[in-house]
């Protein structure tokens, strides 16, 4: 298991190998991309932040938008700058050096299951600062593999560095501390199961 875990980690650290492997395991992210298209406004000129963007796998969905991708992994950001459209920044998600109310919408995919609860709260607080009035966040996070027959999914979760994969109810509890959950759904992307939630923050007061 140690050798396999080390191999998975090496692949994860290499942008091209990471994209290829995840595309194979998750059917080219078709289910994830469909959720993004359905829950966010793509290609409509909005200001979009992709927080924890990795190598920019979803940047193409936001062609024509004011898109900014942020990731702590400098190798991912370097790859994204060379291969994707948009602006890309190396930064910790808990403190992004950008102005208040800079974005209309934020995408978070596969970031929070790497973080303990207190750091998740810090990331969501930063999202609240970065979002304009009536902004929304789409969060798509790993949950424990639903089917016991999904042996590969269970194995990947065991060896990858997602130490804080949570049940849906745990994500809901954390999100509700900072935002209103507008909608949520469980979906399968290849071998991986996810909980996708739309969070509303900084909502304008009703007259």
């Amino acid at each position: 298991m140690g050798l396999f875990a080390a191999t998975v980690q090496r692949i994860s650290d290499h942008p091209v190998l990471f994209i290829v492997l995840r595309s194979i395991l998750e059917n080219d992210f078709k289910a994830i991309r469909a959720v993004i298209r359905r829950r966010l406004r793509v290609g409509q000129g909005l200001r979009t932040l992709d927080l924890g963007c990795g190598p920019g796998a979803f940047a193409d969905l936001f062609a024509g938008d004011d898109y900014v991708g942020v990731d702590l992994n400098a190798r991912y950001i370097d790859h994204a700058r060379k291969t994707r459209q948009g602006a890309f920044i190396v930064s910790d998600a808990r403190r992004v050096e950008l102005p208040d109310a800079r974005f209309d919408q934020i995408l978070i995919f596969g970031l929070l299951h790497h973080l303990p609860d207190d750091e998740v709260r810090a990331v969501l607080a930063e999202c609240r600062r970065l979002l304009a009035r009536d902004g929304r966040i789409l969060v798509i996070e790993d949950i424990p593999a639903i089917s016991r027959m999904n042996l590969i999914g269970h194995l990947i979760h065991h060896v990858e560095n997602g130490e804080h994969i949570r049940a849906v109810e745990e994500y809901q509890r954390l999100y509700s501390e900072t935002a209103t959950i507008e909608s949520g759904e469980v979906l399968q992307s290849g071998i991986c199961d996810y909980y996708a939630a739309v969070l509303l923050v900084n909502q304008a007061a009703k007259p």
Side-chain angles (χ1 to χ4, degrees):
M1 182 63 70
L3 178 60
F4 181 71
T7 301
V8 170
Q9 187 59 53
R10 282 197 296 271
I11 291 173
S12 297
D13 286 341
H14 191 287
V16 175
L17 293 178
F18 174 79
I19 291 173
V20 171
L21 178 63
R22 290 295 295 267
S23 295
I24 293 171
L25 294 178
E26 300 200 41
N27 192 25
D28 201 27
F29 295 109
K30 290 179 180 177
I32 300 300
R33 295 169 75 86
V35 170
I36 294 171
R37 289 191 183 97
R38 188 166 66 249
R39 298 300 185 183
L40 294 179
R41 294 166 60 189
V42 301
Q44 299 182 36
L46 270 67
R47 301 170 299 166
T48 301
L49 173 63
D50 188 351
L51 194 59
C53 67
F58 305 116
D60 62 294
L61 293 175
F62 301 95
D65 295 343
D66 179 2
Y67 169 91
V68 178
V70 170
D71 201 279
L72 190 59
N73 188 319
R75 294 183 69 182
Y76 283 167
I77 292 298
D78 183 60
H79 177 81
R81 286 171 176 165
K82 294 175 181 177
T83 60
R84 309 290 182 179
Q85 293 185 345
F88 294 92
I89 300 171
V90 177
S91 178
D92 189 314
R94 294 169 297 181
R95 183 61 188 171
V96 182
E97 295 298 325
L98 291 170
D100 293 357
R102 169 67 176 80
F103 298 99
D104 302 303
Q105 56 188 10
I106 296 175
L107 169 64
I108 301 175
F109 171 70
L111 169 64
L112 302 184
H113 74 282
H114 296 287
L115 307 176
D117 287 2
D118 59 337
E119 294 186 16
V120 170
R121 293 185 182 100
V123 170
L124 294 178
E126 182 68 347
C127 288
R128 184 168 189 165
R129 181 187 71 81
L130 290 166
L131 274 176
R133 181 72 68 181
D134 293 331
R136 61 175 42 205
I137 310 166
L138 173 59
V139 190
I140 307 171
E141 287 296 331
D142 294 72
I143 59 175
I146 294 174
S147 172
R148 293 183 179 179
M149 301 301 293
N150 184 5
L151 300 180
I152 298 177
H154 285 287
L155 180 61
I156 292 296
H157 278 175
H158 184 72
V159 301
E160 70 127 2
N161 60 350
E163 299 177 356
H164 301 280
I165 295 172
R166 299 169 174 88
V168 170
E169 295 76 16
E170 294 178 82
Y171 286 118
Q172 290 173 334
R173 173 182 56 80
L174 274 172
Y175 299 162
S176 296
E177 294 178 12
T178 304
T180 299
I181 301 175
E182 181 186 60
S183 63
E185 61 184 288
V186 172
L187 65 140
Q188 187 173 31
S189 175
I191 66 165
C192 297
D193 296 307
Y194 292 96
Y195 173 56
V198 175
L199 312 182
L200 304 180
V201 300
N202 298 331
Q203 297 303 291
K206 302 300 181 182

